[in-house]
Amino acid sequence: MPTAATDTFVTLPPSASASAPVPADALVPAAPNGEPQPVGCTNFKLRQLTRLVTQHYDQHLGAAGLKITQYSLLAHVDRLGPIAPGELARRMDMGASTLTRNLQPLVAAGWLALGSGPDARSRLVHITPEGRALRTQAKQQWKAAQLALNDRLGNANVAALHALLDLGLTAFHNPDGPGSAPE
């Protein structure tokens, strides 16, 4: 509800309330020009959602003995590999040290392996036959998690979320793109 006679709020799209009512404090205030204004800390809201979505996927992938972070690494290496660790980190928008830390248990389990690269100083990550078999098995649990998420949020909302996330990723990868401040 508006708190003053001059406050206006933007109505959320009908798909936003597809499966649950929108709480009153989720209303988005509008600027005088009618443009929606963010309320609260974007990082906090993203982290809240990320924690819940991660738990959702982890519950499904637990049947295969994996977490979503591990499944994602297996899937990326399977699709892109053999691949240099630095390139894998770049493709996953992940720091090199985070990638190294996340690779270690998968290498120790025998699902991924580090081998020689094109020269003596480089290494390549590749998926092992055991890792590919596990990824194939876990893909069923991943698909079940994805479909359950789509059902919970609504397909249109998930598609809109993907579009917003892609827009955000593009904006952070292209500092001179839309919304950048002139120098």
Side-chain angles (χ1 to χ4, degrees):
M1 291 269 156
T3 57
T6 59
D7 288 346
T8 58
F9 288 86
V10 173
T11 305
L12 295 173
S15 61
S17 60
S19 60
V22 177
D25 63 351
L27 294 175
V28 181
N33 67 358
E35 186 176 313
Q37 297 298 300
V39 175
C41 176
T42 303
N43 182 63
F44 179 71
K45 288 177 183 255
L46 284 170
R47 289 179 63 85
Q48 279 182 306
L49 181 60
T50 299
R51 280 190 291 272
L52 292 172
V53 171
T54 297
Q55 289 170 6
H56 169 82
Y57 279 88
D58 283 352
Q59 287 172 352
H60 282 82
L61 287 165
L66 292 173
K67 294 184 174 294
I68 187 60
T69 52
Q70 295 169 320
Y71 177 79
S72 182
L73 264 172
L74 283 175
H76 274 81
V77 173
D78 192 23
R79 190 173 71 245
L80 302 171
I83 186 170
E87 178 63 12
L88 180 59
R90 187 187 69 74
R91 293 281 199 93
M92 295 184 74
D93 275 326
M94 184 182 292
S97 62
T98 301
L99 176 66
T100 300
R101 188 172 52 252
N102 290 345
L103 282 174
Q104 287 172 347
L106 300 178
V107 170
W111 301 326
L112 293 178
L114 286 169
S116 299
D119 61 52
R121 296 180 310 160
S122 62
R123 314 236 336 149
L124 295 174
V125 181
H126 67 272
I127 194 165
T128 65
E130 295 82 6
R132 186 168 283 117
L134 179 62
R135 192 241 173 168
T136 300
Q137 173 198 348
K139 190 173 184 177
Q140 296 170 349
Q141 281 83 23
W142 173 86
K143 185 69 171 174
Q146 185 65 44
L147 292 173
L149 184 77
N150 293 353
D151 287 345
R152 184 173 217 156
L153 299 179
N155 285 334
N157 289 328
V158 173
L161 178 60
H162 284 210
L164 273 174
L165 293 170
D166 289 341
L167 182 68
L169 288 168
T170 299
F172 274 93
H173 287 287
N174 182 8
D176 297 328
S180 63
E183 292 186 39

